[in-house]
Amino acid sequence: GTEADVTEAQTGNESQAEESDSSEVSEDAESENESKETEAPEVQDVTGTYKNVSFLENTTYVLNDNGTYDSDKVDYGQKGTYTVSEDGKITLQPVDLGNQYIMTPYEEYYYFSNDDYFDEDSEYGAVPSFDENGRSTQSFQTPFVSQSNGYELSNTLTFKEDGTFTIQQETGQMQGGFLVTSDGDSYDGEYTFDNGVVTLKWNDAEYQLLFIDNKLYYNVLKKQTDENASDFDAQEAAMQAEKDEKYAPVDEALANEISQKLQGQWQYSQGAVSYTLTFDGFNITVESVVGGYQLTNKGTYTVCKDLLLVTYENGEQATMDYTYEDGNLDFSGLVGLTE
């Protein structure tokens, strides 16, 4: 009943109240943390169309909203499923193929981080490098990759110290167990290097490769949007303009004049393959022999500015470069188109 006893009782009650409040706050915090831990991470919506921007590849991937994808890249499998990780990487799983392919984001681009890269040059086996001015003098060659028309294609990219580049294509076709190769189209332009992005400029269009951790990635994609649609249009227009000019027929008089020079039978060898070409009017028969194996194709040809465009009966095409000056005709061997 003393004043001290009352004060002690009040102090004890206040202490119990504080402990109770502290316990409630602690329980609320734990409950909130548990809620955050069990909350599923938000998965990025990656559905849409992804187009190649790297020049050395020409592929499109469509990621559907049901977790499947479609592609026109023959050697990756054209259909399959995909998953998206928390860091935005997209893993493609082609149907009936064991390999997975990982689309890794980099700024506004995606690149295949486990495939399609150069880690050494063709001449010395040295790692890719660019100097303080963004210049290189190295060459890099892609493996031969199957195309939809049965041919195989390889590209050699050469950087030059003056800021220009050359891409030389090489085509191949299996004949009698041998891969018979020949030079295809070539492209020349300028390049720049900035913050890991190599930009190739050709025919008013731009293409990108990515230089990351001493590797040069050449299968680079961008998601198609309304904002960048004009960039893709420019690339397609540049390619189409080049094709239109290259395969435009000459006038009828010159075509007949050159055709007359071609009439008859011609023979040449390329590597282990022997060819016999027979021209009859604007018809052509191509016989190739390698290792005792013979293949015959028939079709027609069109005389273009610097080449003959051969179209076989099965729909496949090939070209033959030629020069015609002062009535003298010289032409090189057949090159299978990969377009």
Side-chain angles (χ1 to χ4, degrees):
T2 65
E3 186 177 340
D5 291 337
V6 172
T7 303
E8 184 178 349
Q10 288 177 343
T11 303
N13 290 338
E14 288 174 0
S15 176
Q16 288 178 2
E18 287 177 1
E19 288 179 4
S20 176
D21 290 344
S22 175
S23 175
E24 289 177 4
V25 171
S26 177
E27 288 177 0
D28 290 343
E30 288 178 4
S31 177
E32 184 178 346
N33 289 336
E34 288 176 2
S35 175
K36 288 181 179 178
E37 288 175 2
T38 58
E39 202 175 276
E42 184 178 349
V43 178
Q44 182 182 356
D45 180 14
V46 296
T47 58
T49 299
Y50 296 76
K51 290 191 173 183
N52 210 288
V53 296
S54 57
F55 206 116
L56 299 184
E57 290 281 346
N58 183 25
T59 50
T60 299
Y61 298 83
V62 178
L63 304 189
N64 306 307
D65 57 10
N66 62 354
T68 64
Y69 78 89
D70 297 276
S71 169
D72 55 5
K73 186 171 176 63
V74 176
D75 63 326
Y76 269 21
Q78 296 173 298
K79 294 182 182 294
T81 59
Y82 70 89
T83 56
V84 187
S85 60
E86 291 183 43
D87 58 3
K89 292 181 180 179
I90 305 170
T91 300
L92 303 182
Q93 178 60 70
V95 63
D96 296 333
L97 291 180
N99 294 337
Q100 292 181 330
Y101 301 95
I102 302 173
M103 292 170 55
T104 300
Y106 182 86
E107 298 182 352
E108 71 266 40
Y109 307 102
Y110 283 85
Y111 66 98
F112 285 90
S113 53
N114 64 333
D115 200 40
D116 293 343
Y117 58 80
F118 302 120
D119 56 2
E120 60 181 40
D121 66 20
S122 302
E123 186 174 6
Y124 297 104
V127 298
S129 63
F130 295 86
D131 63 20
E132 65 274 9
N133 298 314
R135 295 290 181 255
S136 176
T137 57
Q138 295 175 292
S139 294
F140 306 92
Q141 184 176 9
T142 66
F144 279 92
V145 175
S146 299
Q147 307 297 301
S148 58
N149 63 356
Y151 284 88
E152 298 192 17
L153 177 67
S154 172
N155 291 283
T156 296
L157 168 63
T158 301
F159 294 110
K160 301 176 185 177
E161 194 171 5
D162 63 358
T164 62
F165 74 88
T166 297
I167 294 177
Q168 177 64 59
Q169 292 187 337
E170 189 175 3
T171 62
Q173 186 180 32
M174 294 301 298
Q175 295 187 7
F178 296 90
L179 180 64
V180 181
T181 64
S182 56
D183 286 342
D185 294 333
S186 63
Y187 305 88
D188 299 285
E190 299 177 348
Y191 72 93
T192 59
F193 176 76
D194 181 41
N195 193 32
V197 179
V198 181
T199 300
L200 307 180
K201 300 179 181 180
W202 175 79
N203 274 16
D204 298 324
E206 295 186 353
Y207 306 83
Q208 286 79 34
L209 291 81
L210 299 180
F211 183 57
I212 302 172
D213 295 332
N214 293 323
K215 294 180 181 179
L216 187 60
Y217 293 90
Y218 60 85
N219 192 357
V220 183
L221 309 171
K222 261 188 181 181
K223 186 175 183 178
Q224 187 174 17
T225 64
D226 292 339
E227 288 74 18
N228 63 24
S230 59
D231 296 335
F232 290 115
D233 290 342
Q235 291 178 356
E236 293 174 3
M239 285 292 184
Q240 190 59 51
E242 192 267 345
K243 291 178 184 178
D244 290 344
E245 179 180 0
K246 182 175 182 178
Y247 300 130
V250 300
D251 62 74
E252 185 177 354
L254 180 57
N256 288 329
E257 186 176 336
I258 292 176
S259 178
Q260 287 299 317
K261 298 283 185 178
L262 288 169
Q263 299 305 295
Q265 196 171 84
W266 303 77
Q267 294 181 330
Y268 72 94
S269 295
Q270 185 172 345
V273 186
S274 299
Y275 292 90
T276 300
L277 310 182
T278 303
F279 292 90
D280 181 11
F282 284 91
N283 298 311
I284 183 173
T285 300
V286 179
E287 296 178 338
S288 56
V289 179
V290 57
Y293 175 81
Q294 180 172 331
L295 178 67
T296 301
N297 284 309
K298 295 184 177 182
T300 60
Y301 67 92
T302 301
V303 182
C304 305
K305 179 182 177 182
D306 298 308
L307 57 82
L308 305 180
L309 177 61
V310 178
T311 303
Y312 297 118
E313 292 176 344
N314 62 4
E316 293 183 1
Q317 291 183 306
T319 62
M320 295 177 61
D321 292 340
Y322 75 85
T323 58
Y324 186 55
E325 297 178 0
D326 300 327
N328 297 316
L329 177 68
D330 293 309
F331 61 89
S332 58
L334 286 161
V335 176
L337 287 180
T338 57
E339 302 158 349

